[in-house]
Amino acid sequence: MGATAFFYILLFLWVQDTAATLGFTRSDFPQDFVFGASTSAYQYEGAVSEDGRSPSFWDTFTHAGKMPDKSTADVAADGYHKYKEDMKLISDTGLEAYRFSISWSRLIPNGRGAVNPKGLQYYNNIIDELVKRGIQIHITLYHLDLPQCLEDEYEGWLSPKIIEDFTAYADVCFREFGDRVTYWTTVNEPNIAAITSYGSGQLPPGRCSDPFGITNCTAGNSTTEPYIAVHTTLLAHASVVRLYKAKYKAEQKGVVGINIYSFWSYPFTQSTVDLEATQRCKDFMYGWILWPLVFGDYPQVMKKNVGYRLPSFTKVQSELIKDSFDFIGINHYYSVYVNDRPLETGARDVMGDMSIYYRVSRTDPPVGKAAPTNVTSDPKGLQLVLEYLKDAYGNPPIYIHENGLESTNGGLNDTDRVDYLSTYIGSTLDAIRNGINVKGYFAWAFMDLFELLSGYQSNYGLYRVDFDDESRPRQARLSARWYSGFLKKNASSIRLSRVQEDLTLNTVF
Ligand code: IFM
């Protein structure tokens, strides 16, 4: 038997096995549930100084050589030029929805005021392509890419001045795109962004203070700025929601939500202190954003541990923020184990205030700083997050805005990603069956992109992008073919469709 035939037999057995254990199909999900994939502007578009776009603080950060691989997203996946074929690919893949973000500095290069006609045209083109193909559109207004001019003028999210500018930017988006777009997310991951942008300094604007930075920061205060940035973000979010309700909702009939980064936390031991630490971790990570949205204030444990460094809401602000959402978006990738860490008396960053150590596997040593590495798959953790959000925050409608597997292997035969996606989707179904109000699932990412912490050293894409080739060709990975088969075929034919597709697509291997 030739090596190729042997390979296909192994593949056949693997596909059979995965299909058999999958135990569900697309049609097991509710009718109005949507499956899609996500990208974000800076990570996808490239063309950073084309057609009137001004720099965002990501451009400043990458051009200062701050990425581990010294990369930039000057070209990235070249989505600015390739969007048309990509929107077709989305449709050909069978995706029902697409989540992307708008680059504020492409649409309004001065941060406020005049709209850039070419930027406007670009997003109108994308939206029109999606509408034409019947793809549900989910737009994030702010996916971590602030116009640099606003950072220079008033330090961006550290200043309440941003509330007015962000609201005016959102107003332009609702006015120009709201006739075709009804799913809006104001801000992506303000919780983890605050920690990594203002605590550890790993993301732009790269602010932090000793000894809390993971990178060398020249400015910042890790003990106060993450809290200020989230506070301002919440006020800006609420202001945008108020605007939408007052000016657009009746006619456009859309919904507006916010997104949070979510990992599941297991207590490392069953000791009382570890159980309490685990709850604290949830109160900080989810409660930081969701307590104000649901109850109008920060969680008690945050007030206690952060003290005077935690900004407070006036009564009017609290009322504005409370209930200012139609849905919650979550980005979810992994679970952690949490240990108690005694509350230190000196200066503390967010991790110190949370007073936890975490580890991503039982055998790892405990970590006290922000970003985990070498995470492993734990599909049950997603179900537990969804159930927790229901119990703690009144069963809000939830979109899983991002879920996917990072890989440093750029190959096409990503069986580990197929395994990851299929088991996490299965876990989502388990949550739905337990009464959780989950409305959609988006894989991160539709294609390989510039990655926030690693540049081009790792990938998440259903489609592979060759970043060494000027024309940035896309190639389907096995995960794209699997997802496509899952979405396009009817319930009884999933296993067959996967085998057929996998075996006929010789070029993939
Ligand atoms: O690439 C990022 C995305 O921009 C935000 N959520 C996490 C992803 C993977 O790191």
Side-chain angles (χ1 to χ4, degrees):
M1 183 190 308
T4 314
F6 183 63
F7 175 80
Y8 284 136
I9 288 170
L10 282 182
L11 180 64
F12 178 85
L13 292 173
W14 171 77
V15 169
Q16 289 278 27
D17 187 48
T18 319
T21 53
L22 202 55
F24 62 85
T25 66
R26 168 65 183 100
S27 56
D28 288 320
F29 288 79
Q31 276 274 304
D32 63 348
F33 188 93
V34 287
F35 281 98
S38 297
T39 64
S40 88
Y42 185 69
Q43 298 176 269
Y44 167 69
E45 290 175 6
V48 292
S49 36
E50 223 172 298
D51 289 345
R53 179 188 180 276
S54 73
S56 82
F57 63 10
W58 260 111
D59 297 290
T60 314
F61 189 83
T62 54
H63 281 258
K66 299 234 172 128
M67 295 303 292
D69 59 353
K70 309 287 176 226
S71 63
T72 72
D74 288 1
V75 181
D78 201 19
Y80 190 69
H81 299 112
K82 294 177 76 93
Y83 74 90
K84 217 172 187 169
E85 65 182 78
D86 289 341
M87 298 311 114
K88 179 171 181 313
L89 199 56
I90 284 171
S91 172
D92 291 349
T93 308
L95 300 189
E96 300 151 1
Y98 177 51
R99 170 179 177 257
F100 66 100
S101 74
I102 291 180
S103 156
W104 184 346
S105 68
R106 192 182 293 289
L107 191 64
I108 306 180
N110 294 330
R112 73 173 76 86
V115 172
N116 172 15
K118 296 240 169 98
L120 188 62
Q121 188 62 56
Y122 174 65
Y123 294 111
N124 269 325
N125 289 345
I126 290 191
I127 291 167
D128 287 344
E129 285 293 323
L130 292 167
V131 169
K132 187 169 88 190
R133 297 170 194 287
I135 311 287
Q136 195 178 90
I137 303 169
H138 290 242
I139 287 187
T140 304
L141 293 171
Y142 182 78
H143 194 112
L144 312 172
D145 57 345
L146 187 77
Q148 178 63 43
C149 53
L150 301 183
E151 184 66 22
D152 293 340
E153 185 183 327
Y154 50 67
E155 294 189 333
W157 296 101
L158 296 179
S159 165
K161 287 186 185 161
I162 201 168
I163 298 168
E164 196 181 329
D165 288 340
F166 186 60
T167 309
Y169 158 61
D171 198 3
V172 170
C173 295
F174 297 149
R175 187 186 72 216
E176 298 293 339
F177 310 129
D179 56 335
R180 289 151 294 158
V181 178
T182 50
Y183 296 89
W184 297 98
T185 302
T186 53
V187 182
N188 182 71
E189 302 175 350
N191 52 346
I192 200 79
I195 296 174
T196 43
S197 303
Y198 301 94
S200 63
Q202 289 162 286
L203 296 184
R207 294 174 67 92
C208 59
S209 57
D210 284 342
F212 306 109
I214 287 180
T215 57
N216 287 333
C217 296
T218 48
N221 184 339
S222 306
T223 73
T224 55
E225 290 185 357
Y227 299 111
I228 297 169
V230 165
H231 197 71
T232 320
T233 304
L234 287 167
L235 294 170
H237 157 84
S239 164
V240 167
V241 173
R242 178 174 55 184
L243 168 80
Y244 190 79
K245 281 190 181 145
K247 199 167 162 187
Y248 296 101
K249 190 162 176 110
E251 200 189 326
Q252 298 183 354
K253 302 192 172 30
V255 286
V256 187
I258 195 167
N259 166 288
I260 59 169
Y261 194 79
S262 70
F263 47 79
W264 182 245
S265 28
Y266 295 103
F268 187 63
T269 74
Q270 290 304 310
S271 68
T272 307
V273 285
D274 280 359
L275 290 170
E276 285 171 359
T278 309
Q279 182 57 45
R280 242 183 352 261
C281 179
K282 293 179 183 121
D283 284 342
F284 269 76
M285 288 310 300
Y286 314 144
W288 197 357
I289 311 298
L290 297 185
W291 256 79
L293 257 55
V294 175
F295 305 111
D297 202 357
Y298 292 117
Q300 196 51 41
V301 70
M302 286 192 76
K303 291 183 171 186
K304 181 166 158 274
N305 286 13
V306 186
Y308 73 92
R309 289 174 289 118
L310 187 68
S312 53
F313 298 113
T314 64
K315 194 161 181 303
V316 172
Q317 289 171 336
S318 158
E319 276 161 14
L320 180 68
I321 288 173
K322 190 165 174 297
D323 297 326
S324 64
F325 64 99
D326 296 307
F327 66 86
I328 299 301
I330 63 167
N331 296 348
H332 182 87
Y333 291 90
Y334 56 85
S335 301
V336 299
Y337 295 94
V338 170
N339 259 138
D340 181 51
R341 162 184 175 182
L343 197 63
E344 286 142 24
T345 49
R348 293 192 298 261
D349 65 351
V350 179
M351 298 300 289
D353 289 331
M354 219 187 291
S355 114
I356 64 157
Y357 288 114
Y358 73 87
R359 54 192 101 207
V360 292
S361 91
R362 286 209 151 267
T363 49
D364 284 350
V367 183
K369 291 203 179 189
T373 50
N374 300 325
V375 298
T376 50
S377 160
D378 176 35
K380 184 77 184 169
L382 173 58
Q383 184 186 343
L384 294 171
V385 167
L386 294 168
E387 291 177 357
Y388 177 76
L389 293 179
K390 169 182 181 245
D391 294 343
Y393 297 105
N395 205 10
I398 298 176
Y399 284 89
I400 299 162
H401 271 162
E402 289 181 20
N403 175 239
L405 183 68
E406 181 171 29
S407 170
T408 48
N409 161 4
L412 295 173
N413 190 20
D414 56 346
T415 52
D416 50 352
R417 187 171 284 128
V418 173
D419 221 41
Y420 181 99
L421 294 174
S422 59
T423 50
Y424 274 79
I425 290 173
S427 187
T428 305
L429 182 60
D430 289 342
I432 293 172
R433 285 177 169 153
N434 285 348
I436 320 300
N437 197 4
V438 197
K439 310 296 281 180
Y441 173 96
F442 293 78
W444 182 269
F446 179 53
M447 66 180 63
D448 292 343
L449 304 167
F450 166 85
E451 263 310 319
L452 301 190
L453 291 172
S454 63
Y456 303 103
Q457 289 175 325
S458 68
N459 63 73
Y460 286 83
L462 300 172
Y463 285 85
R464 176 176 190 266
V465 175
D466 184 352
F467 293 105
D468 294 327
D469 184 325
E470 218 175 78
S471 66
R472 300 293 190 273
R474 285 82 161 110
Q475 259 180 304
R477 290 205 169 97
L478 189 63
S479 54
R481 302 191 185 285
W482 174 80
Y483 201 29
S484 183
F486 171 68
L487 295 177
K488 280 187 191 166
K489 312 296 172 184
N490 69 35
S492 60
S493 66
I494 273 195
R495 176 187 299 186
L496 189 59
S497 73
R498 288 183 48 188
V499 174
Q500 281 167 341
E501 286 185 10
D502 294 337
L503 292 183
T504 50
L505 291 162
N506 299 354
T507 50
V508 174
F509 303 106

